[in-house]
């Protein structure tokens, strides 16, 4: 064996040079070689899927997971982690196991099918092990928070996207009583992460608390009625962007095979992400009657809230009699873009841009505030798609509830400022021009529903 031996004088010189280099500014004293190495190992994106399927959407959410697996080399360039909660009742595929599992999503060489082949993970903090299926309550905010923390710790990347799959709406506070078990109750689109086994759902406040301080870059809501001011205002400080629909979404939701195939062929920028998302969504839903998708810049949401409150205050001033009120209510329901399934007990959401545009044109006294609201929406919603050909900038807000086609004369306590419910959303607690009050004041909803003339 050949050995390279340094002469004594050469050894001394090398040692001296090493000491000089280490001690001088040639190496920055803040240089952390291990940290740089670790940073270089990071992938660009980690996607955290929270698939709340302990309800009748179980089969659809399993299909969502399999759609991601159908993408070639999906785990080569990005991390995809998925928590899947199942129901005992609605789908018997994949061995018909019932409970909750956490997966590291990997590509399925067989392509699109309904067989989950991803790597199941052990997650002791939630009691998830390979040998047994624990039923976790995905309506619990701590479950979501721990899932995000686990993914960030074990699958670090430069950017993080949280994808929420399941039922959804944007204003709901936690129910004071548990929901009926299984699938017997109605109005299921009025909550997120409905968990039949526990009879609970996640409130918008709980959702905000779960993601607060977690370093999430983009929140994607693959749910109905996610692009609402109540949601955006709740999470405006917890993420940079919200991608969601102000309308309902068909049962099959997003096409994740199309989305990820496009995205992993890109440069992984934010623009690439949004371009891939809108492209697949438009391809899927351009022929639907009333479907939308909005990109919301969370840093601009506070300005929208302030402009909307001002617009609502000025609107309230135009209502001086019961005749004014009846006329205004009729105008909203007939002229302003809204989303509501009148055949069921449901909520009615109105589009803020349409509300401002139509209001400014109909009521001259509202022109200034209406334009301010529209301008704030143009800044906050830089891109949107809808299948119903409006100007866009789609962001909604809750207006009233319907049952059997009849508008309710009052609002749930969860949407009433000062009602005493501890789980009120930030918007309900802080809006001074729109939401109704326990002690009736002069907000627009106070004037429209609770004021005696």
């Amino acid at each position: 064996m050949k050995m390279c031996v340094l002469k004594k004088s050469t050894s001394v010189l090398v040692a001296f040079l090493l000491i000089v280099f280490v001690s001088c500014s040639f190496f920055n004293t803040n240089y952390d070689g291990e940290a740089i190495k670790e940073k270089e190992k990071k992938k660009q994106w980690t996607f955290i899927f929270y698939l709340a399927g302990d309800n009748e959407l179980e089969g659809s959410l399993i299909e969502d997971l399999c759609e991601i697996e159908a993408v070639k080399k999906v785990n080569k360039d990005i991390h995809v982690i998925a928590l899947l909660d199942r129901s005992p009742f609605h789908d018997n595929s994949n061995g018909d196991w019932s409970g909750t599992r956490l997966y590291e999503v990997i590509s399925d060489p067989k392509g699109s099918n309904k067989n989950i082949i991803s790597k199941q993970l052990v997650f002791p903090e939630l009691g998830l092990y390979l040998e047994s299926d624990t039923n976790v309550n995905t309506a619990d905010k701590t479950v979501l928070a721990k899932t995000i923390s686990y993914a960030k710790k074990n699958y670090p990347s430069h950017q993080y996207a949280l994808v929420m799959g399941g039922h959804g709406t944007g204003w709901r506070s936690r129910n004071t009583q548990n929901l009926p078990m299984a699938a017997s109750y109605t109005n299921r689109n009025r909550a997120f992460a409905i968990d039949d086994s526990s009879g609970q759902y996640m409130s918008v406040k709980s959702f905000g608390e779960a993601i607060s301080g977690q370093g999430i870059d983009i929140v994607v809501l693959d749910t109905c009625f996610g692009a609402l001011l109540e949601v955006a205002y709740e999470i405006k400080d917890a993420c940079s962007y919200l991608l969601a629909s102000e309308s309902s979404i068909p049962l099959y939701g997003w096409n994740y095979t199309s989305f990820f195939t496009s995205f992993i062929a890109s440069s992984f920028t934010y623009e690439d992400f949004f371009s891939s998302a809108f492209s697949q969504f438009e391809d899927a839903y351009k022929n639907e009657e009333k479907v939308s998708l909005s990109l919301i810049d969370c840093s601009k949401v506070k300005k929208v809230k302030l402009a909307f409150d001002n617009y609502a205050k000025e609107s309230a001033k135009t209502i001086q009699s019961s005749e004014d009120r009846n006329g205004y209510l009729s105008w909203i329901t007939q002229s302003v873009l809204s989303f509501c399934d009148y055949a069921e007990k449901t909520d009615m959401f109105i589009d803020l841009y349409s509300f401002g545009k139509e209001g400014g044109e109909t009521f001259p006294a509202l022109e200034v505030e209406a334009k301010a609201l529209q301008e704030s929406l143009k800044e906050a919603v830089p891109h949107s798609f809808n299948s119903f050909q409006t100007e866009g900038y789609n962001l909604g807000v809750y207006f009233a509830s319907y049952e059997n086609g009849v508008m309710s004369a009052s609002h749930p306590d969860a949407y009433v400022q000062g009602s005493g419910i501890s789980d009120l959303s930030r918007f309900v607690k802080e809006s001074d021009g729109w939401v109704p009050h326990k002690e009736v004041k002069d907000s627009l909803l106070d004037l429209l529903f609770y004021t005696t003339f």
Side-chain angles (χ1 to χ4, degrees), residues 52-164:
D54 192 350
N55 51 66
E56 82 278 10
L57 292 183
E58 177 190 13
S60 297
L61 295 181
I62 291 173
E63 290 177 4
D64 284 345
L65 179 55
C66 292
E67 284 178 0
I68 309 169
E69 292 181 343
V71 180
K72 294 179 180 179
K73 299 181 180 179
V74 69
N75 53 316
K76 179 179 181 294
D77 299 306
I78 59 175
H79 296 301
V80 183
I81 309 303
L83 184 80
L84 173 63
D85 190 31
R86 294 188 61 176
S87 165
F89 306 113
H90 301 285
D91 187 284
N92 60 7
S93 66
N94 294 279
D96 200 21
W97 58 269
S98 177
T100 313
R101 292 183 181 180
L102 184 67
Y103 292 100
E104 176 188 344
V105 180
I106 60 177
S107 294
D108 187 343
K110 296 181 179 179
S112 181
N113 56 65
K114 204 179 177 181
N115 296 316
I116 299 172
I117 60 96
S118 290
K119 178 183 177 182
Q120 187 179 349
L121 302 173
V122 174
F123 191 1
E125 284 191 77
L126 293 183
L128 303 183
Y129 299 95
L130 302 183
E131 63 274 11
S132 62
D133 288 312
T134 302
N135 185 19
V136 173
N137 177 14
T138 47
D140 186 344
K141 65 181 180 182
T142 61
V143 173
L144 174 56
K146 288 180 179 179
T147 301
I148 296 171
S149 297
Y150 176 95
K152 292 193 66 177
K153 178 180 179 182
N154 294 281
Y155 298 89
S157 65
H158 297 291
Q159 277 92 35
Y160 297 90
L162 172 66
V163 183
M164 307 291 283

Side-chain angles (χ1 to χ4, degrees), residues 170-171 204 228-234 396-398 415 425 427 434:
W171 69 264
V204 65
L228 299 183
L229 183 56
E230 293 90 344
V231 171
Y233 193 70
E234 191 74 31
V397 71
Y398 170 61
Y415 205 76
S425 70
F427 178 77
W434 176 250

Side-chain angles (χ1 to χ4, degrees), residues 180-216:
M181 300 296 281
S184 60
Y185 56 92
T186 59
N187 208 17
R188 299 172 63 83
N189 63 339
R190 303 204 319 178
F192 181 73
I194 289 176
D195 190 282
D196 280 352
S197 296
S198 66
Q200 296 180 355
Y201 61 76
M202 187 182 296
S203 70
V204 65
K205 180 183 177 183
S206 293
F207 176 57
E209 290 172 343
I211 70 172
S212 178
Q214 294 271 30
I216 298 296

